[in-house]
Amino acid sequence: MFYVKVICMGNFGRKIEIFLEYMIANNGYKMVLEGLKNTAIIAVLGLFIGIVIGTLIAAVRVSPKYKFIVRFLNAVCSIYVSFFRGTPIVVQLLLFYYVLFPLIGMNITSVNVSVLVFGLNSGAYISEIMRGGILSVDRGQMEGGRAMGLSFSATMMKIVIPQAIKNIIPTMGNEFIALIKETSVVSFVGATDLYKAFNTAGTNSYEFMVPYLAMAVIYIIMVLLISLLIKIIERRLRKSDKSL
Amino acid sequence: MIRVCNLRKVFDENVVLDGINLEINKGEIVVILGPSGSGKSTLLRCLNCMEDPTSGNIFFHDVDIADMKVDINVHRQKIGMVFQHFNLFKNKTVLQNMTLAPVYVAKKKARKARLRKLFGKSYNAEDIRSLKEINAAAKETAIELLSRVGLQEKADVYPSTLSGGQQQRVAIVRALCMKPDVMLFDEPTSALDPEMVGEVLDVMRSLAQEGMTMVVVTHEMGFAREVASRVLFIDEGKVLEDGTPKEVFDTPKHPRLQQFLQKIL
């Protein structure tokens, strides 16, 4: 029994050695850094695009539906949301990279496509989060603004959305975490992310155990750091609510 | 100043206002009374089109604001409104609450005037002001109004830290910041603790003395009797009685009003 364990541990030590050798001596760490960078770019820019799109969609969806243009935009938005929520993100990536862009004859890097698709995709989810946030703001806030002679959009921008954002910070954090984890599929279109970097490390040494373990550890560290960040932001926002 | 012609408001199948005709002149203080569900709040909210009338016209300075083609925001700037639940902007300080709309409007005017100047059209030279001037002017007005209701030291706090009475006083001066021609009060004291009702009524009373045109929906009979120049009694979407406080309170003609007064006095 003891003998078996020692062999396993010894074996594991050897695996770590192989992994480290590849990482340091064969410059494997460069690919990991690039993967880390791409993962961060895709997640952060994706979230940013998603927030912009999501806010716009949410604003359209809560607007009063008197005018034709609003009803039209509303229909467009619901088609958009049902497409991006109704198909897997891998499918969207493949569609954009292998179908849409070649069809319109545009040459675009796989990282850029990933940023775009993650932005559009999270936009659909964030629009629902944002809509909930806007609806959670007391109706009186909108009435107060409108009664002063501010337009619907001005009241939305200055009064309602800032309060809605405060309400949805925790949910938004979840969305960001989900986004970071989902980036692990961008290698479907050939982008180098964390998964690809560690996968390459494994393929080169025929040894997958340690690389994948390291990958999981890096993901979890990133997510924990972000959770911490969200907590700090949340606390700060609450403070401005109560103070004075 | 405000003329309401044959106003009807229907929610789904529920007729709330059934052919209201009403004229409110400059300087009048009109108190609207009525049992709950009688449509008095809806009538008030129709006056600045917070509720869109189902049919009928509402003329404000001889412009029909019930017409959907009219830019309602321009007219609302001249119709101040105070709500039962104050509706102060929670993400803004008291001062920001008061300056937000005046600054927004002045900025818009300045932008428009600059554009007209650029294209060689006639423009109002007074409208062209720098952002700094606009902010300073709005702040000055706001501070002056705040000190009038004794809240100048609360300028930089958030509304959530104020008592109900203080919030309502801020809400009143916030509306006054726009220099409105008429003020609408939608049950301004109904959400307040009894001991805070007085301070809000005092502000309204002093406003009335200055000659502000006011339309007030309230349950404060004492206030109505003392301050109003005219009292309307509304039930089931119709104006049942319209007269001076003396006439309405002392010699009520309509049986429904007699019954109403018996219950509350």
Side-chain angles (χ1 to χ4, degrees), chain B residues 27-41:
Chain B
E28 269 190 323
I29 292 140
V30 180
V31 171
I32 303 176
L33 299 179
S36 58
S38 59
K40 53 193 193 307
S41 271

Side-chain angles (χ1 to χ4, degrees), chain B residues 131-181:
Chain B
L131 190 56
K132 218 171 171 183
E133 284 171 318
I134 291 171
N135 278 328
K139 196 175 166 186
E140 197 185 331
T141 322
I143 296 277
E144 192 193 310
L145 282 165
L146 263 185
S147 56
R148 241 182 59 185
V149 293
L151 290 171
Q152 63 274 35
E153 75 275 19
K154 298 286 187 190
D156 293 317
V157 306
Y158 284 89
S160 56
T161 60
L162 300 177
S163 73
Q166 288 171 329
Q167 288 195 44
Q168 194 60 297
R169 281 186 281 160
V170 171
I172 293 173
V173 287
R174 176 177 75 170
L176 289 178
C177 270
M178 300 295 287
K179 303 190 173 67
D181 297 331

Side-chain angles (χ1 to χ4, degrees), chain B residues 3 22 31 67 88 100 134 192 216 229 232 246 252 257 264:
Chain B
R3 203 168 77 242
L22 180 63
V31 171
D67 185 351
L88 293 174
L100 180 74
I134 291 171
L192 296 176
V216 188
S229 60
L232 299 180
K246 218 173 161 46
L257 174 59
I264 55 166

Side-chain angles (χ1 to χ4, degrees), chain B residues 91-112:
Chain B
N91 58 331
K92 305 275 180 196
T93 64
V94 167
L95 192 64
Q96 286 166 345
N97 258 283
M98 298 176 69
T99 57
L100 180 74
V103 168
Y104 171 81
V105 170
K107 259 161 63 179
K108 215 171 174 180
K109 265 188 188 160
R111 203 156 52 222
K112 217 172 177 178

Side-chain angles (χ1 to χ4, degrees), chain A residues 139-153:
Chain A
R139 247 185 62 192
Q141 297 288 306
M142 176 53 85
E143 285 187 354
R146 293 311 302 276
M148 302 283 291
L150 301 181
S151 64
F152 177 84
S153 51

Side-chain angles (χ1 to χ4, degrees), chain B residues 21-256:
Chain B
N21 287 295
L22 180 63
E23 186 154 2
I24 295 162
N25 298 313
K26 195 172 182 331
E28 269 190 323
I29 292 140
V30 180
V31 171
I32 303 176
L33 299 179
S36 58
S38 59
K40 53 193 193 307
S41 271
T42 308
L43 171 60
L44 192 79
R45 289 165 59 82
C46 278
L47 293 183
N48 66 350
C49 289
M50 293 302 282
E51 303 288 351
D52 290 311
T54 309
S55 68
N57 311 87
I58 297 155
F59 293 96
F60 176 62
H61 289 317
D62 295 322
V63 180
D64 184 6
I65 55 173
D67 185 351
M68 293 295 265
K69 288 182 206 98
V70 170
D71 183 3
I72 184 69
N73 296 326
V74 176
H75 298 286
R76 281 196 188 136
Q77 284 156 16
K78 288 293 159 202
I79 307 176
M81 186 160 194
V82 175
F83 299 87
Q84 182 176 359
H85 296 288
F86 332 129
N87 293 353
L88 293 174
F89 307 137
K90 287 178 191 151
N91 58 331
K92 305 275 180 196
T93 64
V94 167
L95 192 64
Q96 286 166 345
N97 258 283
M98 298 176 69
T99 57
L100 180 74
V103 168
Y104 171 81
V105 170
K107 259 161 63 179
K108 215 171 174 180
K109 265 188 188 160
R111 203 156 52 222
K112 217 172 177 178
R114 274 195 202 103
L115 269 180
R116 290 186 72 90
K117 190 182 176 187
L118 194 67
F119 289 107
K121 289 185 188 150
S122 67
Y123 64 97
N124 191 349
E126 280 172 20
D127 284 345
I128 299 187
R129 295 188 295 168
S130 70
L131 190 56
K132 218 171 171 183
E133 284 171 318
I134 291 171
N135 278 328
K139 196 175 166 186
E140 197 185 331
T141 322
I143 296 277
E144 192 193 310
L145 282 165
L146 263 185
S147 56
R148 241 182 59 185
V149 293
L151 290 171
Q152 63 274 35
E153 75 275 19
K154 298 286 187 190
D156 293 317
V157 306
Y158 284 89
S160 56
T161 60
L162 300 177
S163 73
Q166 288 171 329
Q167 288 195 44
Q168 194 60 297
R169 281 186 281 160
V170 171
I172 293 173
V173 287
R174 176 177 75 170
L176 289 178
C177 270
M178 300 295 287
K179 303 190 173 67
D181 297 331
V182 53
M183 288 280 283
L184 312 178
F185 292 85
D186 188 4
E187 304 200 19
T189 54
S190 298
L192 296 176
D193 288 343
E195 53 180 336
M196 289 168 184
V197 170
E199 60 190 74
V200 171
L201 290 183
D202 283 342
V203 173
M204 290 167 64
R205 210 170 277 133
S206 75
L207 207 56
Q209 275 156 13
E210 284 162 31
M212 174 63 79
T213 312
M214 291 159 67
V215 185
V216 188
V217 170
T218 186
H219 296 293
E220 295 292 326
M221 294 306 149
F223 178 83
R225 194 188 272 271
E226 177 197 348
V227 181
S229 60
R230 200 169 139 201
V231 177
L232 299 180
F233 177 74
I234 291 188
D235 194 24
E236 284 167 359
K238 288 192 173 78
V239 179
L240 298 186
E241 196 128 346
D242 179 354
T244 64
K246 218 173 161 46
E247 288 166 3
V248 172
F249 286 115
D250 298 341
T251 54
K253 286 187 262 331
H254 202 281
R256 185 71 189 82

